[in-house]
Amino acid sequence: MFLVLTMKLGIIGCGAIGTDVALAADKMSEIEQIFLHDINQISAQKLRQQLKKGKVATVAEFIQKVDVVFEGASQEAVEQYAETILSAGIDFIVMSVGSLFDDQLRNKLIKSAREHRCKMYIPSGAVCGIDGLMSASVDVIDEVTLVTTKPPASLGKKYTKRTVVFDGVARQAVTEFPKNINVAASVSLAGIGFDRTNVKIVADPVATRINHKILAHGKFGRLRAEVENMPNPKNPKSSYMASLSAIATLKRIVSPIQIGV
Ligand SMILES: NC(=O)c1ccc[n+]([C@@H]2O[C@H](COP(=O)([O-])OP(=O)(O)OC[C@H]3O[C@@H](n4cnc5c(N)ncnc54)[C@H](O)[C@@H]3O)[C@@H](O)[C@H]2O)c1
């Protein structure tokens, strides 16, 4: 239990999602200062110029000053910084959730967050239905399937008819279709894990947007959640919904009211 008056935010990764989060945080009265870090100095500087509360700094420079760090960079950045952040007792919002497929890394970070009494937040990202899956997972879930339908071009392929290009479990999907990694990871973590979550990837020439469907059944009943994503204008490879979920997570952290699980 904690009551936030104002807090300082660190951002690692000043690309599409990091920029959307920083611009939103700049307008939040609860956020007092925003530290920006990117391996590309120009990206960090450009973003700083758009903010009232922004300051460019390395992670080592801002770690003693911030209350929460947002990662919107890469899996490598999670590997590089997550342990340092959590072991300093600082809450960490992870966007490159595919990094958590690594059981050793994930368990190490959970242990560190527990020992240092801080939290690792995983926004639902580009999918919808994570709340229902989390509630359902309190009791028995028999089956979870993530169906991702993409225009063939986004898979770098040409198909003239609807084709199932992958049908297997999440852990296997990640090695064959690494671009689906974040969504498969979020769904697996919320539900029944990487080895029991089914993933189907469909190339559909009729599709113009990336569509994610979660289908689950269990003791709770049956769940079907679907989203059709618009690309982020700053990076068409990322769904705009991913930025919105990151901002919603930050709002959840600073807000006195928590809606949903
Ligand atoms: N959870 C989800 O559903 C979801 C959805 C979309 C994207 N993502 C992930 O979020 C991350 C950010 O996505 P984006 O669209 O903003 O990407 P982007 O390419 O627009 O921006 C990433 C930024 O991070 C910087 N960066 C990369 N590695 C870094 C490092 N080690 N240290 C510091 N900076 C680093 C890059 O220079 C770039 O400016 C990616 O890993 C992406 O896979 C997750």
Side-chain angles (χ1 to χ4, degrees):
M1 201 275 295
F2 67 97
L3 185 64
V4 176
L5 294 173
T6 58
M7 57 162 58
K8 293 180 179 150
L9 169 70
I11 292 184
I12 303 174
C14 304
I17 303 178
T19 296
D20 288 337
V21 168
L23 290 172
D26 208 42
K27 293 193 192 118
M28 291 182 196
S29 57
E30 300 89 347
I31 308 275
E32 175 186 336
Q33 196 162 23
I34 307 165
F35 293 94
L36 306 167
H37 170 68
D38 197 294
I39 34 168
N40 181 344
Q41 278 280 326
I42 296 168
S43 302
Q45 292 292 356
K46 263 193 189 162
L47 179 54
R48 186 192 58 78
Q49 285 163 14
Q50 299 174 60
L51 305 175
K52 286 198 220 73
K53 306 170 190 169
K55 188 176 173 166
V56 174
T58 63
V59 175
E61 282 165 352
F62 71 56
I63 193 133
Q64 299 305 331
K65 300 176 186 159
V66 296
D67 304 283
V68 58
V69 173
F70 172 80
E71 175 279 325
S74 60
Q75 287 188 50
E76 293 73 28
V78 177
E79 286 156 22
Q80 192 178 348
Y81 298 115
E83 171 68 3
T84 312
I85 291 162
L86 293 169
S87 61
I90 298 162
D91 291 338
F92 187 41
I93 308 172
V94 182
M95 220 52 216
S96 305
V97 54
S99 55
L100 303 180
F101 263 97
D102 179 337
D103 296 335
Q104 222 181 330
L105 176 69
R106 190 182 66 255
N107 291 332
K108 186 172 81 173
L109 298 182
I110 292 170
K111 184 168 178 271
S112 194
R114 186 171 284 132
E115 277 173 13
H116 297 93
R117 293 167 173 252
C118 54
K119 289 191 193 295
M120 188 158 58
Y121 292 91
I122 301 170
S124 48
V127 273
C128 295
I130 293 290
D131 54 345
L133 260 189
M134 288 193 62
S135 303
S137 71
V138 172
D139 208 323
V140 176
I141 300 182
D142 302 317
E143 201 175 310
V144 178
T145 303
L146 165 70
V147 184
T148 297
T149 306
K150 300 189 173 202
S154 77
L155 289 162
K157 296 263 169 71
K158 277 188 183 159
Y159 291 98
T160 50
K161 64 176 175 63
R162 189 180 181 276
T163 309
V164 176
V165 294
F166 177 84
D167 194 353
V169 295
R171 204 181 285 279
Q172 188 192 350
V174 159
T175 45
E176 291 183 37
F177 287 90
K179 284 189 183 153
N180 221 43
I181 190 168
N182 292 307
V183 168
S186 310
V187 172
S188 300
L189 288 168
I192 52 177
F194 303 111
D195 299 306
R196 285 184 59 214
T197 302
N198 303 309
V199 175
K200 210 179 252 194
I201 301 173
V202 182
D204 188 348
V206 175
T208 52
R209 306 276 177 234
I210 295 176
N211 173 300
H212 298 293
K213 252 194 298 279
I214 297 177
L215 309 163
H217 58 85
K219 210 163 171 190
F220 69 97
R222 198 143 42 108
L223 176 152
R224 182 191 168 105
E226 180 171 3
V227 63
E228 193 113 342
N229 280 320
M230 293 295 282
N232 189 316
K234 301 182 184 85
N235 176 5
K237 286 187 195 152
S238 279
S239 302
Y240 184 46
M241 179 61 99
S243 286
L244 299 178
S245 88
I247 296 165
T249 301
L250 190 58
K251 284 193 167 176
R252 193 180 162 89
I253 293 171
V254 300
S255 171
I257 175 166
Q258 310 266 307
I259 302 163
V261 269

